[in-house]
Amino acid sequence: MPPDTRMTAAHDLRQPLERLYREFDYTSRVELDAIRFPLRYPDSRDREIVALLSACLAYGRVDLFSGALEGVLAKMSPSPAAFVTGFDPRRDAGAFADFWYRFNRPRDLAAFCIAARALLGRYGTLEKCFLAGDDDGRGPIGPTLERFSRKFLDADLSPVFGRGRISRGYRHLFPLPSVGGPCKRLNLFLRWMVRREPPDFGLWTGVSPARLLMPIDTHIENISRSIGLTRRRSRNWRMAEEITQKLAAIDPTDPVKFDFALCHKRMSGDCLDRRDTVVCAPCGLKTVCRHWRRGRPRA
């Protein structure tokens, strides 16, 4: 019998998800997550820059981008914020000569530093840059995130790419919600910066956690479908909205608080996206999981 694909009612999801959120062992998983990089920096200026850079590069396997990011941060030490604000492409671009990660090359990091330097010079902080033009402060986060990304894409990057040019790799760092993709990495960055409870650090006080969208990667996509948060087949912005809307029915003030626990439950192997009598035995989500709603385990 095929697994159930119905959406799950919010009142059925509330207890198992709230329990998962309360009881999840965040401490043991933080060191296996990209959030560990900004958490190393006590200075808010360093943490803000490192959080954005870490989130932008957080695609692919964690162990792969972590190695690349470690090398970058070593070159930016002891203060990544000071490195960025004082960045001179002629003098400093060579620091990234050894960087090579999937779509991104050394010049993409140099462009990141040039754009961040210009925006910090204009706004003072990335939070003020993000909030510029966000007059309502209560509407959907998409248009505000779009403006933020465009500021990085529209910066004068001619010292790196030449006038009017931009690399595919750099463009990949700053996706636009209007294109329709899930913008997982930038939504992840916002979760880190805005949420006030661990494992997030909530440096930004001008954005309400209620406005955030779930960062949708393959782990969240699969587990969300398993427990009835979405029936969509395409991982895109609309899926992020649908999942967030479902979670907002449980906690409208902080709908993305479940992201870390759900994602790491899947990453750790505690959820296999199939029925397994051994692995699934201790799982508190079985009552809302499509693999356990009906049917019997295969022999």
Side-chain angles (χ1 to χ4, degrees):
M1 182 178 293
D4 194 344
T5 57
R6 292 173 298 173
M7 295 281 277
T8 307
H11 62 79
D12 292 326
L13 287 163
R14 180 173 286 106
Q15 183 175 354
L17 283 179
E18 289 285 7
R19 181 179 178 182
L20 175 68
Y21 176 71
R22 290 193 311 269
E23 298 181 358
F24 193 79
D25 184 4
Y26 296 96
T27 302
S28 68
R29 297 297 302 182
V30 160
E31 284 304 311
L32 301 173
D33 190 273
I35 198 174
R36 72 182 187 269
F37 295 107
L39 283 173
R40 293 176 184 174
Y41 296 87
D43 188 291
S44 61
R45 294 167 297 181
D46 290 327
R47 184 170 287 189
E48 191 179 51
I49 282 291
V50 173
L52 180 59
L53 180 59
S54 300
C56 285
L57 292 174
Y59 63 95
R61 281 173 29 199
V62 175
D63 58 326
L64 294 181
F65 72 72
S66 293
L69 188 55
E70 289 281 13
V72 172
L73 294 178
K75 298 296 177 62
M76 299 171 77
S77 65
S79 170
F83 181 89
V84 166
T85 55
F87 187 80
D88 181 333
R90 293 183 179 180
R91 182 191 65 212
D92 301 320
F96 305 130
D98 296 332
F99 175 82
W100 191 281
Y101 179 63
R102 296 188 66 180
F103 308 133
N104 293 115
R105 303 293 181 264
R107 62 180 183 169
D108 300 325
L109 295 185
F112 175 94
C113 291
I114 290 172
R117 181 193 65 191
L119 293 172
L120 288 172
R122 178 178 179 183
Y123 296 102
T125 68
L126 292 181
E127 180 182 17
K128 291 179 180 178
C129 173
F130 183 82
L131 290 173
D134 187 38
D135 299 326
D136 180 9
R138 292 177 296 179
I141 204 69
T144 309
L145 186 58
E146 178 98 6
R147 285 192 295 270
F148 183 71
S149 279
R150 285 200 178 277
K151 287 169 185 173
F152 278 87
L153 295 173
D154 294 342
D156 180 7
L157 304 175
S158 57
V160 176
F161 300 124
R163 190 165 301 279
R165 294 178 177 272
I166 190 171
S167 73
R168 174 174 174 258
Y170 182 76
R171 192 178 298 279
H172 179 73
L173 298 179
F174 296 99
L176 299 170
S178 61
V179 175
C183 298
K184 171 255 180 177
R185 290 166 290 125
L186 290 182
N187 280 320
L188 180 65
F189 168 68
L190 292 180
R191 197 204 83 201
W192 295 348
M193 301 305 297
V194 172
R195 288 199 67 252
R196 319 314 193 221
E197 296 182 10
D200 305 307
F201 37 82
L203 288 181
W204 289 7
T205 59
V207 182
S208 168
R211 299 177 67 194
L212 301 182
L213 279 189
M214 280 286 282
I216 308 298
D217 61 5
T218 184
H219 303 295
I220 291 296
E221 175 189 7
N222 289 337
I223 200 168
S224 293
R225 198 175 289 119
S226 291
I227 63 175
L229 293 175
T230 185
R231 285 186 296 188
R232 294 186 179 275
R233 307 305 300 178
S234 297
R235 193 190 319 159
N236 53 27
W237 187 263
R238 294 181 69 183
M239 175 183 277
E241 289 180 321
E242 181 175 73
I243 292 172
T244 305
Q245 183 178 21
K246 195 75 173 180
L247 294 173
I250 300 170
D251 189 341
T253 65
D254 191 8
V256 307
K257 72 181 189 182
F258 306 104
D259 174 53
F260 188 97
L262 285 172
C263 183
H264 279 267
K265 187 173 182 63
R266 187 83 168 83
M267 286 175 61
S268 67
D270 287 346
C271 176
L272 303 177
D273 197 23
R274 59 181 170 82
R275 186 166 176 158
D276 186 294
T277 55
V278 176
V279 174
C280 300
C283 182
L285 299 179
K286 281 197 298 184
T287 58
V288 292
C289 178
R290 65 175 181 165
H291 301 295
W292 286 88
R293 280 187 181 134
R294 61 185 181 182
R296 296 180 178 178
R298 296 178 181 177

